Amino acid sequence: MLALYWPWLLLLLPLPLLIKQTKTTDVGGHLHIPGIATTTTVTHTHKNKQSRKRYWVMWTLLLLAIARPQWLGDPIELPSKGRDLMMAVDLSGSMQIEDMEINGQTVNRFTLIQHVLSDFIERRKGDRLGLILFADHAYLQAPLTQDRRSVATFLDDAQIGLVGKQTAIGEAIALAVKRFDQVDESNRVLILLTDGSNNAGNIEPEVAAQIAAKRNITIYTIGVGAEVLERRTIFGKERINPSMDLDETQLKKLAEMTNGYYFRARNSEELNSIYQQIDKLEPVSRDQLSYRPKSELFYWPLLLSLLISLFIVLQQQWPTVFTPKTKETN
């Protein structure tokens, strides 16, 4: 985008018009015949008009150069010490249970998480986001970064069973604590999504939560899964609870230990509402800094002005070369 650093200087553009111009008068000794203009007078008048135009263009270009025209590039975000938000997503075998819906279509739990969490990631502009996937063990899929697009891509590429079939909640929390320790002090938040209970890993969730609390890390736990699911059997329809393995008591305790909250997501509407509540509890950082690269352009009008002044000087030194010849009339 083209912009002027001092645009108010353009108000001086009509300044030459305010300067009183002296008019030359003819001195006696010249013979004037009424109705006939001499060649000298016509030529002199023509030269004056050309000179005024050139000086006016020079004045405009000089004024434009002083106003400092600049080309502004697209805004570039600078890293800031804002909120660090890590997301830990369960990839155990039970996440493939199809008890959720998206726009009337039945999907499994992980597909729903991918769908809703992607919108949440997009809204977290200004925060550093990270992604942990866990099942038998916890793995860092995306380190804390402001590149939200890459985090969303890693989430979309994840697959159920990629890191096992069990649920290592304690390891997921411990890995998040470890990653938070490697960054500067900031608001540290962990969002943990699971549909089961801890049955794998080398550290108990409560022990990991105690360490997190000492590091001032807030944990928001989300239990995913419907409470009622109908399935067909040889005896007809049967209603079961697909979330029997969900340990809500433990998830509530983990959140309370770190001054966080536990949420229950039984469908897409509840999960989306949970992310909106987290947005309110942990608002997006507002101190995000950005800058727009600037390219100075003042030398272009300045160069044109100098070329015009050079042309005027040369024309005055060698008028026969730079002044077009006029046709002689009989």
Side-chain angles (χ1 to χ4, degrees):
M1 182 181 71
L2 189 63
L4 296 176
Y5 191 77
W6 293 309
W8 56 269
L9 286 176
L10 296 183
L11 296 175
L12 301 177
L13 191 61
L15 184 61
L17 298 177
L18 303 179
I19 300 176
K20 185 177 181 180
Q21 298 179 353
T22 58
K23 297 182 179 180
T24 58
T25 57
D26 292 322
V27 183
H30 295 281
L31 178 63
H32 295 280
I33 302 176
I36 299 178
T38 62
T39 304
T40 303
T41 304
V42 174
T43 304
H44 183 68
T45 304
H46 179 70
K47 287 182 177 179
N48 285 341
K49 289 182 178 180
Q50 284 186 334
S51 297
R52 283 196 295 269
K53 289 181 180 178
R54 290 167 184 164
Y55 287 131
W56 180 263
V57 173
M58 286 178 57
W59 169 252
T60 303
L61 291 174
L62 285 174
L63 204 59
L64 185 61
I66 297 174
R68 287 183 62 184
Q70 299 173 334
W71 180 261
L72 302 180
D74 296 331
I76 298 177
E77 295 181 354
L78 296 174
S80 62
K81 295 181 180 180
R83 180 172 287 99
D84 292 330
L85 195 152
M86 186 71 74
M87 297 165 291
V89 180
D90 188 352
L91 280 187
S92 60
S94 57
M95 292 295 288
Q96 63 186 351
I97 297 177
E98 296 184 351
D99 58 350
M100 296 292 179
E101 287 188 2
I102 299 178
N103 299 326
Q105 181 179 0
T106 302
V107 297
N108 61 46
R109 297 169 177 176
F110 181 62
T111 300
L112 175 65
I113 291 176
Q114 286 177 308
H115 177 74
V116 182
L117 191 55
S118 296
D119 294 335
F120 176 77
I121 292 173
E122 183 62 28
R123 293 197 302 267
R124 303 302 300 189
K125 186 176 182 180
D127 288 346
R128 288 184 294 189
L129 304 178
L131 178 63
I132 292 174
L133 303 178
F134 66 95
D136 291 354
H137 298 283
Y139 299 90
L140 180 67
Q141 191 71 3
L144 289 167
T145 176
Q146 289 185 326
D147 187 357
R148 305 187 310 280
R149 183 177 298 179
S150 295
V151 176
T153 300
F154 283 126
L155 178 64
D156 291 338
D157 293 341
Q159 297 180 0
I160 300 174
L162 182 66
V163 290
K165 295 184 179 181
Q166 295 182 310
T167 309
I169 295 177
E171 276 197 16
I173 298 175
L175 180 57
V177 171
K178 181 179 179 180
R179 300 306 301 185
F180 282 135
D181 285 343
Q182 298 178 5
V183 298
D184 296 333
E185 187 68 24
S186 62
N187 292 336
R188 303 173 175 185
V189 178
L190 171 63
I191 300 176
L192 189 144
L193 300 99
T194 183
D195 66 344
S197 58
N198 185 76
N199 54 16
N202 300 319
I203 184 172
E204 292 296 322
E206 289 80 6
V207 176
Q210 287 178 356
I211 300 174
K214 293 179 181 179
R215 302 289 199 280
N216 295 321
I217 299 172
T218 303
I219 301 178
Y220 295 100
T221 54
I222 302 176
V224 183
E227 291 183 341
V228 177
L229 178 64
E230 290 187 354
R231 65 180 182 181
R232 293 183 178 275
T233 65
I234 57 176
F235 302 104
K237 291 183 178 180
E238 181 183 11
R239 295 167 63 91
I240 61 172
N241 179 10
S243 299
M244 290 185 298
D245 294 333
L246 180 62
D247 192 347
E248 292 190 80
T249 302
Q250 186 182 61
L251 295 178
K252 289 179 182 178
K253 183 178 180 181
L254 297 176
E256 291 173 356
M257 290 174 63
T258 58
N259 295 320
Y261 294 94
Y262 167 71
F263 301 96
R264 184 73 169 89
R266 302 172 184 83
N267 49 56
S268 59
E269 290 78 13
E270 286 187 351
L271 184 57
N272 188 57
S273 176
I274 291 169
Y275 289 137
Q276 292 178 0
Q277 293 180 57
I278 294 177
D279 278 336
K280 294 179 181 179
L281 293 169
E282 303 290 342
V284 177
S285 300
R286 299 302 181 186
D287 58 348
Q288 176 68 22
L289 302 177
S290 65
Y291 83 100
R292 302 186 71 169
K294 299 178 182 179
S295 299
E296 297 287 347
L297 303 176
F298 69 90
Y299 47 84
W300 288 112
L302 183 60
L303 178 62
L304 290 176
S305 178
L306 292 175
L307 290 176
I308 294 175
S309 63
L310 179 62
F311 177 80
I312 293 175
V313 172
L314 293 177
Q315 188 181 38
Q316 291 176 352
Q317 295 293 328
W318 297 285
T320 57
V321 177
F322 292 92
T323 303
K325 297 180 178 180
T326 57
K327 294 182 179 180
E328 296 182 357
T329 57
N330 295 328

